[in-house]
Amino acid sequence: MTKKRANLRDVAAAAGVSVATASRVMNTPEAVSEATRQKVQAAMDSLRFMPSAAARAINSGRSRFVGALVPTLDNAIFARYLSRLESQLDKHRLSLVVSTTDGIPGIEAEKARTLVDIGAEALIVSGVTHGAALFELIDRGGIPAIATSCYDPDFALPTIGYDNAAAALTALSHLSGLGHSRISVIHGPTDTNDRTGTRVEALRRRPGGAQLEFHLEPLSIEGGCNGVQKVLQARPDTTAILCMSDVQATGALYELQRRGIPVPGGVSLMGIDDLPGSAHLCPGLTTVHLPVARMGLAAADAIAGWVETRKVPEPSLLKSDLVVRASTARTGAIDGQRAAGKARTDLGK
């Protein structure tokens, strides 16, 4: 028959100490003598004691976990961010529980309530577009909460992230500096993703003299492929394609190569994100590096400080950087290759 699982009282009795002392050995071992720690640890080993998070939460009033709400786990950028967030929270002796929202405010509010119901001590959300129900939950419970993947010092929650408008304009400036004026932009949904919306709006407001044409496609490799098909139909004279994500840029590269259009010889191609695989495409993808790993570390430190000391963190702007690789070139070289290709075609007629 299965034996009853040992609890902290069993450990304390076996070690000949009080339950409070056994609890201190687990939670604040530095407050207990070495001899007592060894006795309690020996009792734990002999009883095969496994600490219960639920019991610990009841005894201490602390669950020691943080809830993170992200739109999806399909995008590698969120995986990298969450990995650093979790590892840094662990250094603060906090755990991470993740819920996905599909970028829908109603789902986000429901998932947030579930996290709070099971004991989340704090919440971390993505972006600045959220429903009233989420803010009501946070205010009613006095729950520490921060927003990531963006920077807005005037937002209702402390923000830790990057300037999405600046990232888009950095990409546009690079292409314009190479002489490109006929630029097609492929982007994901803007109604459910305020980060993409901010980037697109920045380009619409400040095109910098470039003739920009926008194509909405799903945030996926397939979306990038479909975007290139639309670009070539709508504007065959496009000299550069700017994707608002590296995922779409990867799909765009595949489609251009499938059609025999050289990159950057036929079209320059650029993304935003700097995903781990972007440097290893052929050619390597020029992009804007978003500091998602640093954001995970900063968010963990900020929320841990808030939970432990009740000190509200300050908004934090993390700098994004241009990463130039081989997928972009000066427009003169592109026009020259196009002219040479046309000449070879004419000679063959």
Side-chain angles (χ1 to χ4, degrees), residues 126-241:
S126 296
V128 295
T129 302
H130 309 281
L134 177 69
F135 293 110
E136 182 181 350
L137 174 69
I138 292 170
D139 291 340
R140 182 185 292 270
I143 302 165
I146 61 174
T148 60
S149 302
C150 59
Y151 174 73
D152 182 353
D154 299 321
F155 187 55
L157 306 177
T159 54
I160 297 177
Y162 33 82
D163 186 331
N164 285 283
L169 294 175
T170 294
L172 178 61
S173 177
H174 173 68
L175 293 175
S176 297
L178 293 174
H180 296 282
S181 59
R182 303 185 299 276
I183 303 172
S184 293
V185 179
I186 301 174
H187 63 86
T190 58
D191 55 343
T192 59
N193 188 321
D194 54 53
R195 284 78 69 204
T196 298
T198 298
R199 297 172 197 174
V200 170
E201 184 61 24
L203 296 179
R204 291 187 186 277
R205 289 188 176 189
R206 288 185 277 175
Q211 302 170 28
L212 302 181
E213 185 170 281
F214 295 84
H215 298 275
L216 169 62
E217 291 293 333
L219 187 59
S220 63
I221 289 178
E222 182 181 5
C225 294
N226 294 337
V228 166
Q229 295 172 24
K230 291 183 178 179
V231 166
L232 297 178
Q233 291 173 0
R235 183 186 277 181
D237 64 344
T238 292
T239 63
I241 296 176

Side-chain angles (χ1 to χ4, degrees), residues 95 244 285:
S95 299
M244 293 292 96
L285 183 67

